Amino acid sequence: MGFMTKTALPTTEQAPRTAWDKVITSTPVLMTIVATLLAGLSSSEMTLSQYHRSLAAQNQSKAGDQWNFFQAKRIRGTEKQIAVEQARARGQAAPLDKASLIEAVDRVPALYRRTLDQGRLLAEALTPANTNVQLAPTYAPLTAAVAALIRNATAQEKDAQQAIAECRNLLAADQHKQALMYLDGRSLPPVEPTKLDDPSVLDGLKAVRERQSEAESAPIVAGINQAALEQAIRTAEANAKSAEDADKPVSAAFEPLAAQLRKLGEAASLLQRAAHGVRYCLSEVPTAERDKLPSVSTAAAALENTADNLRIAVTELTTDFQGARDDYDARRYTREARANQESAGLYELQVRRSGLTSERHRSRSKNFFYGMLAAQAAVTIASLSLAVRNRSVLWGLAGVTGLGAVIFGGYVYLYM
């Protein structure tokens, strides 16, 4: 039996991998990592761009609120100033200060007493014991009107006395004394606004006020420090609030005084109408009967004249006070509007700065995206190179897939 001998199979020894081989083999992996990082950076930059664009929209809303405040206050201030000028031009109102206001209020009680005294004199003139003439029945409505006037005048005099006493108390109170100082048409409650001192912010505000476009103001806005801009906004809002807070006590002090003057005006109007009613009832008495009692006609005319003078005095007092108050409001609205205008301009700067920042992040996102495409192209090239070198179907499939992705991305970018 023969013995079979074993023969050794030929073996192929692999050459050791060089450093260059390792670099070539790891290139697709490294490029994939780089592409992933660039894709993440591109997405992050786009998110920041959208954030700053949203922030710009929020700041634009705040700027719009400040512009609305500015416009509303300017309109109201202008309306009040026009009303004051028209009233004074027509002679319906005159400048008023604290001294003249107190003097005008002190004149009113005497006019009320005089009107009531004139009504009583007329009532006495209608008494048969004083006239020695039997009153005709046609005098009955006149007698009733005079009696009603006296009753109403007595009640209204009490109300007027209370209103006048309240006016005097208000005028004597320290709070109202301070407020009345601003009726002279020249001054406002003192406010010490904090001035903006950052040169770049001031330059930006100037650009907004000069209505420069965003492109024209971009170099100025880009040089504004965000922290400085935020501090300027806080300062401007604090200045606006300080102006409003300084004006509130004065406006609040005017209101109770205006309410008492309205009460005086209502009482004077009712007395005047009652006196006119008496005059009308007298005109209904036949002429022959009126001629028998000339003192009645004289007393009725005196009553009507006194009531008219009372109404004129109270109306002038009320109109002068309202005119002085409107003049104060016009001045305070102008000051407050300027503060709101400054806040609006700063918010406009914030909007423009957020827009520039958003555009910067969008540009960075686009560039990172281009870098990612380049890295993907490198992955594709490296995969194709390895496929050719190693004759590997999988590496070839990866390279072809990557090449297709690059071509499709370029098509979408250029044509869609």
Side-chain angles (χ1 to χ4, degrees):
M1 184 174 182
F3 294 93
M4 297 180 62
T5 60
K6 295 182 178 179
T7 59
L9 297 176
T11 59
T12 58
E13 295 183 359
Q14 294 183 350
R17 297 179 62 186
T18 64
W20 179 248
D21 291 333
K22 295 179 181 178
V23 170
I24 293 176
T25 305
S26 61
T27 296
V29 178
L30 294 176
M31 288 297 99
T32 301
I33 295 173
V34 171
T36 303
L37 291 175
L38 291 175
L41 289 173
S42 176
S43 177
S44 174
E45 291 294 328
M46 182 56 69
T47 301
L48 287 173
S49 175
Q50 293 173 349
Y51 165 76
H52 285 285
R53 186 62 64 184
S54 175
L55 186 62
Q58 294 178 15
N59 288 324
Q60 186 63 66
S61 178
K62 294 179 181 179
D65 290 341
Q66 294 297 323
W67 283 123
N68 289 336
F69 284 138
F70 165 73
Q71 292 174 350
K73 290 177 180 180
R74 284 294 294 163
I75 291 172
R76 293 193 66 181
T78 302
E79 288 176 347
K80 288 185 176 293
Q81 188 60 41
I82 291 174
V84 171
E85 292 176 357
Q86 289 179 343
R88 291 177 179 176
R90 291 194 296 262
Q92 297 174 343
L96 186 69
D97 56 20
K98 178 183 175 181
S100 57
L101 176 60
I102 294 175
E103 182 182 354
V105 169
D106 288 340
R107 285 199 304 264
V108 172
L111 292 173
Y112 272 100
R113 287 194 298 270
R114 193 180 306 167
T115 303
L116 182 57
D117 291 343
Q118 292 292 347
R120 289 169 178 164
L121 289 175
L122 178 56
E124 292 177 1
L126 290 171
T127 304
N130 295 330
T131 60
N132 297 321
V133 174
Q134 185 64 36
L135 295 177
T138 52
Y139 274 99
L142 175 61
T143 303
V146 172
L149 180 143
I150 293 175
R151 287 196 303 272
N152 293 335
T154 301
Q156 289 158 14
E157 185 187 25
K158 293 180 181 179
D159 294 339
Q161 290 293 351
Q162 292 178 355
I164 291 169
E166 185 63 26
C167 285
R168 287 172 173 166
N169 291 335
L170 292 173
L171 294 174
D174 293 337
Q175 177 184 1
H176 294 83
K177 283 182 179 179
Q178 187 71 22
L180 292 175
M181 294 172 54
Y182 306 114
L183 289 179
D184 57 6
R186 294 185 297 272
S187 58
L188 283 170
V191 174
E192 296 182 1
T194 303
K195 294 184 178 180
L196 304 179
D197 55 3
D198 189 277
S200 60
V201 172
L202 294 176
D203 290 341
L205 273 178
K206 182 180 179 182
V208 171
R209 289 168 182 166
E210 292 177 353
R211 303 178 65 86
Q212 293 184 14
S213 65
E214 292 188 5
E216 292 173 336
S217 63
I220 299 175
V221 175
I224 297 176
N225 180 268
Q226 179 62 29
L229 180 55
E230 292 176 356
Q231 179 59 43
I233 291 175
R234 288 193 293 268
T235 299
E237 289 185 341
N239 289 341
K241 187 176 185 301
S242 297
E244 293 176 357
D245 290 345
D247 293 329
K248 285 179 181 178
V250 178
S251 299
F254 288 156
E255 185 54 40
L257 185 57
Q260 299 303 323
L261 293 179
R262 284 194 294 271
K263 290 181 180 179
L264 289 178
E266 292 170 0
S269 178
L270 291 174
L271 278 179
Q272 185 188 44
R273 292 192 178 190
H276 288 175
V278 169
R279 187 70 172 176
Y280 171 77
C281 291
L282 180 61
S283 67
E284 293 296 307
V285 177
T287 304
E289 295 294 335
R290 288 203 307 270
D291 292 342
K292 294 178 182 179
L293 296 174
S295 60
V296 172
S297 298
T298 301
L303 170 64
E304 186 176 30
N305 183 60
T306 303
D308 288 343
N309 289 338
L310 170 63
R311 175 62 188 277
I312 291 171
V314 174
T315 300
E316 287 180 349
L317 171 60
T318 304
T319 304
D320 291 347
F321 176 77
Q322 186 60 46
R325 186 180 179 184
D326 286 345
D327 185 64
Y328 167 79
D329 285 338
R331 287 180 280 117
R332 78 175 179 90
Y333 278 135
T334 299
R335 180 170 71 176
E336 292 177 11
R338 291 197 189 101
N340 292 125
Q341 182 184 25
E342 187 171 77
S343 296
L346 290 171
Y347 276 117
E348 287 286 350
L349 281 181
Q350 186 75 291
V351 170
R352 297 187 182 190
R353 196 180 188 286
S354 296
L356 287 177
T357 304
S358 174
E359 186 61 26
R360 175 175 172 270
H361 285 294
R362 190 188 69 83
S363 178
R364 285 165 60 88
S365 174
K366 180 177 66 174
N367 292 331
F368 280 132
F369 176 76
Y370 290 155
M372 180 197 67
L373 288 180
Q376 287 181 341
V379 171
T380 300
I381 295 171
S383 299
L384 290 174
S385 299
L386 287 174
V388 172
R389 180 176 179 179
N390 298 327
R391 297 182 179 85
S392 172
V393 176
L394 293 178
W395 280 109
L397 180 61
V400 171
T401 302
L403 180 62
V406 172
I407 294 173
F408 180 74
Y411 172 77
V412 170
Y413 179 78
L414 294 174
Y415 300 105
M416 296 184 66

